[in-house]
Structure formats: C-alpha cells, structure tokens
Amino acid sequence: MTKKDLVAAIAEKAGLSKKDSEAALNAFIATVEETLKAGEAVQLTGFGTFEVRERAERQALNPRTKEPITVAATKVPAFKAGKGLKDIIA
C-alpha cells in the first residue's frame, strides 16, 4: 500500500475528503518524527509503539577486503507492535 492508497482508505473510512485525510496523515507523520527526534516514544495502545533505539559500536568485516572495520554507534527508529495488532495479524 502506498501513501496515496492509504490516504484514499482513510478518506473512505473516516468520511473525509482526500485532501483532509492527507493533511491528517502528514500531521501524524510530522508529529511522530518530532517526538522521536526529541528522544521520546509514541505509544498507541493496542496498535504499537514508535521509539528510538541505540545501536552500540561494533566490529564488522569489509566484504571485499575482509578487513575488520568499526561501525559507529547510532540511533535508529523502531516500531514494536502491540498486542491488539499482533492478535489481528495472527
């Protein structure tokens, strides 16, 4: 499903115009991005949690040269599905 398809589905289910649905979806995405950037989690009960996870520095091998390299520590966005979502899919 693309963003265009998602906007159309939201518009149909909520009885909104596609323009209003796209504005709502964009606002949701922007809010999640800003919250994660601030280091906080977004928890939607029954659906899941968007959070920032930290990956530690680690050693890896360059596949071409087989030389060891150091991969720097980084922060990555993550989504953990909630029980309600897991139950629907299972």
Side-chain angles (χ1 to χ4, degrees):
M1 176 178 271
T2 65
K3 183 176 179 182
K4 183 178 177 180
D5 297 334
L6 182 58
V7 167
I10 291 170
E12 184 179 322
K13 289 188 186 257
L16 300 171
S17 69
K18 287 184 181 180
K19 185 176 181 181
D20 290 341
S21 297
E22 184 172 12
L25 180 59
N26 288 338
F28 172 76
I29 292 170
T31 303
V32 171
E33 289 172 345
E34 291 167 5
T35 304
L36 292 179
K37 187 175 181 179
E40 299 175 27
V42 177
Q43 184 174 359
L44 303 172
T45 304
F47 183 73
T49 303
F50 296 93
E51 61 188 1
V52 176
R53 293 187 186 153
E54 295 194 23
R55 288 192 182 159
E57 183 178 280
R58 61 188 168 88
Q59 292 293 321
L61 289 178
N62 181 330
R64 280 195 183 157
T65 63
K66 306 298 182 199
E67 294 289 323
I69 58 173
T70 301
V71 178
T74 187
K75 294 180 181 180
V76 294
F79 176 76
K80 181 179 176 185
K83 184 179 182 330
L85 182 59
K86 288 180 184 177
D87 290 346
I88 290 170
I89 293 174

